[in-house]
């Protein structure tokens, strides 16, 4: 049976993105075949579609690091036809065909059973960005951060990770400071639960090695100077999670926040995170994320609209989450 997909190729003409029709015989190796309902567009997907550098490991490739759908056939002991599943990471959309297609074939070891209370639409709307936000919240909790600890900063707050992080933290009782370079999104961020809006410019340039202690914790999806400044103004004993590189991969700071204030920097890896932690994250998302707010922060597009959305996400022009109905 044939199905539609977005595929990137690399040849003498360079990097190309096409919407193609594929046959099931062209699906990659795997023990579970999935009828995909939805995927999403993440920053990493934007890079894969724009040029592939640093993201695409093999050509040709179907991008899309997220997918949610229904198991069609399975040779894996944990899954049977009809099961609802979600997948994030594990190299899908980078070195293994991903979610920008109506069908996918993957290893069952990569799949998370859909928690009770979540639909495939909601799971895809959460996607890698929302799952990463939950991993960050779990890391803060594991470090002992509570609503009584003090304010929590979220950088890149109007983006996918940031939007979900703001909504989660606010619902859990934290006072959230939302940093954004888009003042027009202030009302949106306050609706998600932000108590205060901070202009991105206050954090995005070179700063002092140590600043005034302003927040007890931070969730950073930006990197570079923004992460350095977040660390520099974290209170004694506080925790900062790092899960993105929208500003850059560099860390142009000093060790002073670590050796003078005992600040902890926790790296968040969504790609190879252990299954136990993935399941824990999705169970918490099903319980703690306001699904009404999730719907408000999510825009739906069809498969053919994905390349244009990818361009906008790299330009920092996409708010919240963008879900892809691969069958539209």
């Amino acid at each position: 049976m044939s199905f539609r997909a977005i595929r990137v190729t690399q040849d003498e003409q360079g990097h190309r993105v096409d919407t193609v029709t594929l046959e099931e015989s062209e699906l990659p190796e795997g023990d579970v075949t999935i009828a995909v309902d939805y995927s999403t567009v993440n920053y990493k997907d934007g890079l894969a579609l724009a040029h592939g550098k640093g993201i695409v490991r093999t050509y040709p490739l179907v991008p899309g690091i997220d997918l949610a759908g229904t198991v069609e056939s399975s040779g894996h002991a944990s899954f049977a036809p009809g099961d609802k599943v979600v997948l994030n990471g594990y190299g899908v959309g980078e070195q293994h065909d991903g979610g920008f297609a109506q069908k996918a074939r993957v290893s069952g070891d990569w799949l998370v059973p859909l928690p009770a209370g979540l639909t495939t639409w909601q799971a895809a709307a959460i996607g890698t960005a929302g799952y990463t936000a939950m991993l960050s919240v779990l890391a803060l909790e594991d470090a002992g951060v509570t609503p009584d600890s003090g304010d929590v900063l979220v950088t890149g707050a109007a983006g996918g990770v940031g939007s979900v992080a703001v909504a989660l933290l606010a619902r859990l009782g934290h006072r959230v400071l939302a940093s954004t370079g888009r003042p027009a999104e202030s009302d949106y961020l306050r609706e998600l639960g932000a108590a205060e809006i901070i202009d991105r410019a206050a954090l995005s340039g070179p700063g002092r090695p140590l600043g005034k202690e302003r927040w007890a914790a931070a969730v950073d999806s930006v990197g570079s100077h923004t992460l350095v400044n977040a660390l520099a103004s974290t209170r004694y004993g506080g925790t900062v999670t790092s899960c993105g590189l929208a500003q850059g991969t560099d860390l142009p700071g000093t060790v002073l926040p670590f050796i003078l204030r005992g600040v902890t920097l926790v790296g968040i890896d969504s790609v190879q995170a252990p299954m136990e932690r993935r399941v824990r994250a999705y169970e918490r998302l099903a319980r703690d994320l306001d699904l009404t707010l999730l719907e408000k922060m999510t825009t739906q597009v069809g498969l053919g609209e994905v390349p244009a959305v990818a361009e906008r996400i790299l330009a920092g022009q996409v708010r919240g989450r963008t879900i892809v109905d691969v069958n539209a």
Side-chain angles (χ1 to χ4, degrees), residues 5 10 45 64 83 94 116 134 153 156 165-166 172 176 186 189 198 216 221 229 268 276 298 328:
Q10 182 81 37
D45 298 316
D83 289 347
E94 299 180 65
M134 189 73 246
L153 170 72
V166 169
L172 291 169
V176 181
S186 295
L189 291 169
I198 296 177
S221 62
N229 288 321
I268 303 298
E276 175 276 331
T298 302

PDB file of all heavy atoms in Angstrom, residues 5 10 45 64 83 94 116 134 153 156 165-166 172 176 186 189 198 216 221 229 268 276 298 328:
ATOM      1  N   ALA A   5       4.650  11.063   2.065  1.00  0.00           N
ATOM      2  CA  ALA A   5       5.694  11.413   3.024  1.00  0.00           C
ATOM      3  C   ALA A   5       6.477  12.607   2.503  1.00  0.00           C
ATOM      4  O   ALA A   5       6.486  12.901   1.293  1.00  0.00           O
ATOM      5  CB  ALA A   5       6.642  10.232   3.231  1.00  0.00           C
ATOM      6  N   GLN A  10      19.964  14.321  -0.855  1.00  0.00           N
ATOM      7  CA  GLN A  10      21.189  15.082  -1.084  1.00  0.00           C
ATOM      8  C   GLN A  10      21.859  14.505  -2.331  1.00  0.00           C
ATOM      9  O   GLN A  10      22.186  13.313  -2.384  1.00  0.00           O
ATOM     10  CB  GLN A  10      22.135  14.955   0.115  1.00  0.00           C
ATOM     11  CG  GLN A  10      23.429  15.750  -0.005  1.00  0.00           C
ATOM     12  CD  GLN A  10      23.246  17.217   0.347  1.00  0.00           C
ATOM     13  OE1 GLN A  10      22.500  17.549   1.252  1.00  0.00           O
ATOM     14  NE2 GLN A  10      23.916  18.078  -0.382  1.00  0.00           N
ATOM     15  N   ASP A  45      13.618  19.681  13.474  1.00  0.00           N
ATOM     16  CA  ASP A  45      13.009  19.390  12.182  1.00  0.00           C
ATOM     17  C   ASP A  45      13.248  20.534  11.204  1.00  0.00           C
ATOM     18  O   ASP A  45      13.465  20.314  10.011  1.00  0.00           O
ATOM     19  CB  ASP A  45      11.504  19.167  12.340  1.00  0.00           C
ATOM     20  CG  ASP A  45      11.178  17.982  13.233  1.00  0.00           C
ATOM     21  OD1 ASP A  45      11.821  16.932  13.082  1.00  0.00           O
ATOM     22  OD2 ASP A  45      10.285  18.120  14.091  1.00  0.00           O
ATOM     23  N   GLY A  64      11.129  14.305  10.825  1.00  0.00           N
ATOM     24  CA  GLY A  64      10.043  14.270  11.798  1.00  0.00           C
ATOM     25  C   GLY A  64      10.440  13.474  13.019  1.00  0.00           C
ATOM     26  O   GLY A  64      10.336  12.247  13.029  1.00  0.00           O
ATOM     27  N   ASP A  83      -2.948  -0.698  19.411  1.00  0.00           N
ATOM     28  CA  ASP A  83      -2.368   0.081  20.511  1.00  0.00           C
ATOM     29  C   ASP A  83      -2.039   1.495  20.051  1.00  0.00           C
ATOM     30  O   ASP A  83      -1.542   1.707  18.936  1.00  0.00           O
ATOM     31  CB  ASP A  83      -1.085  -0.576  21.022  1.00  0.00           C
ATOM     32  CG  ASP A  83      -1.335  -1.860  21.792  1.00  0.00           C
ATOM     33  OD1 ASP A  83      -2.498  -2.115  22.148  1.00  0.00           O
ATOM     34  OD2 ASP A  83      -0.352  -2.595  22.038  1.00  0.00           O
ATOM     35  N   GLU A  94      16.338  11.578  12.025  1.00  0.00           N
ATOM     36  CA  GLU A  94      17.740  11.961  11.857  1.00  0.00           C
ATOM     37  C   GLU A  94      18.507  10.893  11.091  1.00  0.00           C
ATOM     38  O   GLU A  94      19.189  11.189  10.114  1.00  0.00           O
ATOM     39  CB  GLU A  94      18.394  12.185  13.225  1.00  0.00           C
ATOM     40  CG  GLU A  94      17.746  13.286  14.044  1.00  0.00           C
ATOM     41  CD  GLU A  94      18.422  13.456  15.386  1.00  0.00           C
ATOM     42  OE1 GLU A  94      19.609  13.848  15.402  1.00  0.00           O
ATOM     43  OE2 GLU A  94      17.774  13.193  16.418  1.00  0.00           O
ATOM     44  N   ALA A 116      -3.338   6.772  29.677  1.00  0.00           N
ATOM     45  CA  ALA A 116      -4.786   6.998  29.753  1.00  0.00           C
ATOM     46  C   ALA A 116      -5.042   8.494  29.897  1.00  0.00           C
ATOM     47  O   ALA A 116      -4.356   9.190  30.655  1.00  0.00           O
ATOM     48  CB  ALA A 116      -5.366   6.247  30.941  1.00  0.00           C
ATOM     49  N   MET A 134       8.888  18.582  30.269  1.00  0.00           N
ATOM     50  CA  MET A 134       8.575  17.768  31.440  1.00  0.00           C
ATOM     51  C   MET A 134       9.832  17.147  32.020  1.00  0.00           C
ATOM     52  O   MET A 134       9.973  17.073  33.249  1.00  0.00           O
ATOM     53  CB  MET A 134       7.581  16.671  31.055  1.00  0.00           C
ATOM     54  CG  MET A 134       7.017  15.898  32.251  1.00  0.00           C
ATOM     55  SD  MET A 134       5.827  16.841  33.240  1.00  0.00           S
ATOM     56  CE  MET A 134       6.702  17.021  34.794  1.00  0.00           C
ATOM     57  N   LEU A 153      12.799  30.812  36.247  1.00  0.00           N
ATOM     58  CA  LEU A 153      12.941  31.465  34.950  1.00  0.00           C
ATOM     59  C   LEU A 153      12.767  30.441  33.840  1.00  0.00           C
ATOM     60  O   LEU A 153      13.298  29.334  33.910  1.00  0.00           O
ATOM     61  CB  LEU A 153      14.333  32.102  34.841  1.00  0.00           C
ATOM     62  CG  LEU A 153      14.737  32.630  33.460  1.00  0.00           C
ATOM     63  CD1 LEU A 153      13.963  33.907  33.124  1.00  0.00           C
ATOM     64  CD2 LEU A 153      16.248  32.890  33.404  1.00  0.00           C
ATOM     65  N   GLY A 156      13.293  31.471  26.234  1.00  0.00           N
ATOM     66  CA  GLY A 156      12.621  31.026  25.017  1.00  0.00           C
ATOM     67  C   GLY A 156      11.182  30.663  25.292  1.00  0.00           C
ATOM     68  O   GLY A 156      10.641  29.701  24.739  1.00  0.00           O
ATOM     69  N   ALA A 165       6.748  24.435  29.388  1.00  0.00           N
ATOM     70  CA  ALA A 165       7.391  24.603  30.694  1.00  0.00           C
ATOM     71  C   ALA A 165       6.667  25.646  31.533  1.00  0.00           C
ATOM     72  O   ALA A 165       6.434  25.444  32.735  1.00  0.00           O
ATOM     73  CB  ALA A 165       8.855  24.974  30.519  1.00  0.00           C
ATOM     74  N   VAL A 166       6.302  26.763  30.922  1.00  0.00           N
ATOM     75  CA  VAL A 166       5.569  27.810  31.654  1.00  0.00           C
ATOM     76  C   VAL A 166       4.255  27.251  32.181  1.00  0.00           C
ATOM     77  O   VAL A 166       3.901  27.422  33.358  1.00  0.00           O
ATOM     78  CB  VAL A 166       5.316  29.036  30.752  1.00  0.00           C
ATOM     79  CG1 VAL A 166       4.334  30.003  31.423  1.00  0.00           C
ATOM     80  CG2 VAL A 166       6.621  29.763  30.439  1.00  0.00           C
ATOM     81  N   LEU A 172       1.855  23.773  38.669  1.00  0.00           N
ATOM     82  CA  LEU A 172       2.420  23.099  39.837  1.00  0.00           C
ATOM     83  C   LEU A 172       2.667  24.065  41.002  1.00  0.00           C
ATOM     84  O   LEU A 172       3.160  23.643  42.049  1.00  0.00           O
ATOM     85  CB  LEU A 172       3.719  22.398  39.449  1.00  0.00           C
ATOM     86  CG  LEU A 172       3.543  21.177  38.521  1.00  0.00           C
ATOM     87  CD1 LEU A 172       4.888  20.725  37.971  1.00  0.00           C
ATOM     88  CD2 LEU A 172       2.852  20.031  39.258  1.00  0.00           C
ATOM     89  N   VAL A 176       6.445  31.925  37.817  1.00  0.00           N
ATOM     90  CA  VAL A 176       7.257  31.761  36.616  1.00  0.00           C
ATOM     91  C   VAL A 176       7.594  33.112  35.998  1.00  0.00           C
ATOM     92  O   VAL A 176       6.713  33.958  35.784  1.00  0.00           O
ATOM     93  CB  VAL A 176       6.517  30.900  35.575  1.00  0.00           C
ATOM     94  CG1 VAL A 176       7.372  30.714  34.325  1.00  0.00           C
ATOM     95  CG2 VAL A 176       6.151  29.547  36.181  1.00  0.00           C
ATOM     96  N   SER A 186       3.300  38.615  25.187  1.00  0.00           N
ATOM     97  CA  SER A 186       3.177  38.758  26.644  1.00  0.00           C
ATOM     98  C   SER A 186       1.830  38.259  27.150  1.00  0.00           C
ATOM     99  O   SER A 186       1.758  37.539  28.160  1.00  0.00           O
ATOM    100  CB  SER A 186       3.392  40.213  27.050  1.00  0.00           C
ATOM    101  OG  SER A 186       4.716  40.626  26.777  1.00  0.00           O
ATOM    102  N   LEU A 189       1.727  34.480  27.106  1.00  0.00           N
ATOM    103  CA  LEU A 189       2.514  33.877  28.184  1.00  0.00           C
ATOM    104  C   LEU A 189       1.826  34.037  29.536  1.00  0.00           C
ATOM    105  O   LEU A 189       1.867  33.126  30.368  1.00  0.00           O
ATOM    106  CB  LEU A 189       3.912  34.481  28.207  1.00  0.00           C
ATOM    107  CG  LEU A 189       4.782  34.102  27.000  1.00  0.00           C
ATOM    108  CD1 LEU A 189       6.051  34.952  26.961  1.00  0.00           C
ATOM    109  CD2 LEU A 189       5.144  32.622  27.053  1.00  0.00           C
ATOM    110  N   ILE A 198      10.095  38.912  31.026  1.00  0.00           N
ATOM    111  CA  ILE A 198      11.435  39.499  30.959  1.00  0.00           C
ATOM    112  C   ILE A 198      11.854  39.612  29.503  1.00  0.00           C
ATOM    113  O   ILE A 198      11.741  38.644  28.741  1.00  0.00           O
ATOM    114  CB  ILE A 198      12.459  38.635  31.732  1.00  0.00           C
ATOM    115  CG1 ILE A 198      12.108  38.605  33.216  1.00  0.00           C
ATOM    116  CG2 ILE A 198      13.877  39.137  31.516  1.00  0.00           C
ATOM    117  CD1 ILE A 198      13.028  37.725  34.039  1.00  0.00           C
ATOM    118  N   ALA A 216      15.318  30.932  41.750  1.00  0.00           N
ATOM    119  CA  ALA A 216      15.798  29.716  42.403  1.00  0.00           C
ATOM    120  C   ALA A 216      16.155  28.633  41.401  1.00  0.00           C
ATOM    121  O   ALA A 216      16.917  27.715  41.713  1.00  0.00           O
ATOM    122  CB  ALA A 216      14.728  29.185  43.356  1.00  0.00           C
ATOM    123  N   SER A 221      16.228  26.844  27.067  1.00  0.00           N
ATOM    124  CA  SER A 221      16.234  26.174  25.770  1.00  0.00           C
ATOM    125  C   SER A 221      17.014  26.975  24.740  1.00  0.00           C
ATOM    126  O   SER A 221      16.895  26.729  23.539  1.00  0.00           O
ATOM    127  CB  SER A 221      14.790  25.973  25.273  1.00  0.00           C
ATOM    128  OG  SER A 221      14.147  27.226  25.099  1.00  0.00           O
ATOM    129  N   ASN A 229      23.861  33.879  31.573  1.00  0.00           N
ATOM    130  CA  ASN A 229      23.226  34.894  32.420  1.00  0.00           C
ATOM    131  C   ASN A 229      22.180  34.289  33.349  1.00  0.00           C
ATOM    132  O   ASN A 229      21.982  34.777  34.471  1.00  0.00           O
ATOM    133  CB  ASN A 229      22.598  35.981  31.549  1.00  0.00           C
ATOM    134  CG  ASN A 229      23.633  36.872  30.897  1.00  0.00           C
ATOM    135  OD1 ASN A 229      24.636  37.216  31.519  1.00  0.00           O
ATOM    136  ND2 ASN A 229      23.425  37.234  29.643  1.00  0.00           N
ATOM    137  N   ILE A 268      19.668  18.121  29.794  1.00  0.00           N
ATOM    138  CA  ILE A 268      18.456  17.370  29.491  1.00  0.00           C
ATOM    139  C   ILE A 268      18.580  16.787  28.088  1.00  0.00           C
ATOM    140  O   ILE A 268      18.636  17.512  27.097  1.00  0.00           O
ATOM    141  CB  ILE A 268      17.203  18.277  29.562  1.00  0.00           C
ATOM    142  CG1 ILE A 268      17.089  18.936  30.935  1.00  0.00           C
ATOM    143  CG2 ILE A 268      15.947  17.472  29.227  1.00  0.00           C
ATOM    144  CD1 ILE A 268      16.927  17.972  32.090  1.00  0.00           C
ATOM    145  N   GLU A 276      12.216   4.303  31.282  1.00  0.00           N
ATOM    146  CA  GLU A 276      11.553   4.556  32.566  1.00  0.00           C
ATOM    147  C   GLU A 276      11.277   6.041  32.752  1.00  0.00           C
ATOM    148  O   GLU A 276      10.206   6.433  33.243  1.00  0.00           O
ATOM    149  CB  GLU A 276      12.418   4.021  33.707  1.00  0.00           C
ATOM    150  CG  GLU A 276      11.913   4.331  35.113  1.00  0.00           C
ATOM    151  CD  GLU A 276      12.323   5.708  35.640  1.00  0.00           C
ATOM    152  OE1 GLU A 276      13.395   6.198  35.230  1.00  0.00           O
ATOM    153  OE2 GLU A 276      11.558   6.285  36.445  1.00  0.00           O
ATOM    154  N   THR A 298      -1.372  25.344  20.477  1.00  0.00           N
ATOM    155  CA  THR A 298      -1.069  24.465  19.359  1.00  0.00           C
ATOM    156  C   THR A 298      -1.774  24.909  18.083  1.00  0.00           C
ATOM    157  O   THR A 298      -2.964  25.224  18.097  1.00  0.00           O
ATOM    158  CB  THR A 298      -1.482  23.014  19.694  1.00  0.00           C
ATOM    159  OG1 THR A 298      -0.789  22.593  20.866  1.00  0.00           O
ATOM    160  CG2 THR A 298      -1.143  22.077  18.552  1.00  0.00           C
ATOM    161  N   ALA A 328      -3.674  14.954   6.081  1.00  0.00           N
ATOM    162  CA  ALA A 328      -4.391  16.099   5.496  1.00  0.00           C
ATOM    163  C   ALA A 328      -3.555  16.747   4.408  1.00  0.00           C
ATOM    164  O   ALA A 328      -2.338  16.662   4.407  1.00  0.00           O
ATOM    165  CB  ALA A 328      -4.698  17.121   6.590  1.00  0.00           C
TER     166      ALA A 328
END
